[in-house]
């Protein structure tokens, strides 16, 4: 199975190094010297990592055959892809690969359906589940123990205990707006004959 483990950013210096946006919880394993990675677009690779180091909190990589800033800049925005055994599990307990979490059903403790995980967003501070709701809108659920109380791979579900406002803020906003309209004597969309559409905000990943 192929997994995206990083995205190449801008060139760093003049000797072929690039910054990378890490998208794996195991950069030492996936992005270490000697690792051979596929790419998207495929024409940019495969790429073999020659050196890696951390500079000002960012991972810098140099690839074999890339020796100057021009070559490094040509790789900008390229995705780095690792080949991973689907049966492989992370070394740390309570850690999961993205492909294990994608498509899990997200439910509350009482079984109420929230949606389905469609993406994992890896931020510097935490990981986030991007969840598609039955109505097509999206939610962002922090992947922390206080909120995600259980991951059940056999049942293909993630159980969450969201704090107030995390998944019901949109309903509260609509309710407050409707009450304000009523107080002001403004007719609702149904009574006035006007259609309405809402688009939930995105975060995020």
């Amino acid at each position: 199975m192929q997994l995206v483990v990083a995205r190449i950013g801008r060139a760093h210096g003049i000797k072929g190094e690039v910054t990378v946006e890490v998208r794996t919880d195991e950069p030492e394993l996936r992005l270490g010297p000697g690792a051979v990675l596929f790419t998207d677009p495929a024409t940019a690779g495969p790429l073999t990592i020659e050196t890696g180091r951390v500079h000002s909190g960012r991972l810098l990589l140099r690839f074999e055959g890339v020796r100057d800033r021009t070559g490094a800049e040509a790789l900008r925005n390229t995705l780095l892809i690792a080949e991973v055994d689907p049966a492989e599990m992370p070394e740390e307990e309570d850690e999961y690969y993205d492909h294990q979490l994608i498509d899990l059903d997200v439910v509350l403790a009482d079984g109420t359906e929230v949606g389905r995980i469609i993406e994992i967003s890896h931020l510097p501070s935490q990981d986030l589940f991007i969840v598609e709701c039955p109505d097509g809108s999206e939610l962002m659920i922090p992947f922390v123990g206080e909120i995600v109380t259980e991951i059940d791979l056999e049942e293909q579900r993630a159980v969450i205990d969201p704090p107030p406002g995390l998944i019901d803020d949109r309903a509260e906003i609509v309710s407050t707006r409707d009450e304000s309209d009523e107080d002001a004597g403004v007719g609702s969309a149904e009574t006035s004959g006007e259609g309405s559409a809402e688009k939930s905000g995105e975060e995020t990943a």
Side-chain angles (χ1 to χ4, degrees):
M1 175 177 289
Q2 293 188 334
L3 299 177
V4 174
V5 294
R7 182 181 67 85
I8 297 176
R10 64 181 61 187
H12 179 84
I14 60 174
K15 296 183 179 181
E17 284 187 313
V18 296
T19 62
V20 294
E21 173 191 319
V22 177
R23 298 188 180 180
T24 172
D25 290 331
E26 299 176 311
E28 299 85 357
L29 175 64
R30 306 299 178 195
L31 300 171
V36 179
L37 301 168
F38 298 101
T39 61
D40 182 5
T43 53
L47 295 172
T48 300
I49 297 176
E50 185 173 276
T51 63
R53 64 188 179 97
V54 176
H55 175 74
S56 298
R58 298 295 300 272
L59 178 62
L60 303 180
L61 298 179
R62 180 187 290 128
F63 301 101
E64 292 183 3
V66 180
R67 289 289 179 265
D68 56 29
R69 188 177 183 89
T70 299
E73 281 290 356
L75 296 173
R76 190 167 184 174
N77 292 324
T78 296
L79 296 178
L80 299 176
I81 302 169
E83 189 72 37
V84 178
D85 184 344
E88 183 179 336
M89 294 290 291
E91 295 180 356
E92 297 296 327
E93 187 178 358
D94 294 330
E95 287 189 359
Y96 303 89
Y97 292 132
D98 287 5
H99 71 272
Q100 296 173 305
L101 301 171
I102 297 297
D103 284 334
L104 291 188
D105 292 325
V106 179
V107 299
L108 301 181
D110 62 4
T112 301
E113 180 185 7
V114 175
R116 178 178 62 88
I117 299 174
I118 59 174
E119 181 183 344
I120 312 297
S121 179
H122 300 284
L123 301 181
S125 58
Q126 64 184 4
D127 296 332
L128 292 167
F129 292 164
I130 309 302
V131 177
E132 182 179 62
C133 301
D135 64 1
S137 61
E138 293 182 1
L139 292 172
M140 295 164 289
I141 308 294
F143 188 19
V144 295
E146 295 82 359
I147 297 176
V148 181
T149 59
E150 180 185 0
I151 297 292
D152 189 333
L153 295 181
E154 290 188 3
E155 295 294 329
Q156 286 290 286
R157 69 175 189 170
V159 181
I160 66 171
D161 181 17
L166 182 63
I167 66 174
D168 55 4
D169 57 339
R170 291 169 299 168
E172 292 175 359
I173 292 171
V174 171
S175 176
T176 301
R177 184 189 63 191
D178 290 345
E179 290 175 0
S180 299
D181 288 347
E182 290 177 1
D183 292 342
V186 178
S188 66
E190 291 183 355
T191 58
S192 65
E194 296 178 358
S196 64
E198 291 187 7
K199 180 181 180 181
S200 64
E202 296 183 357
E203 173 195 20
T204 285

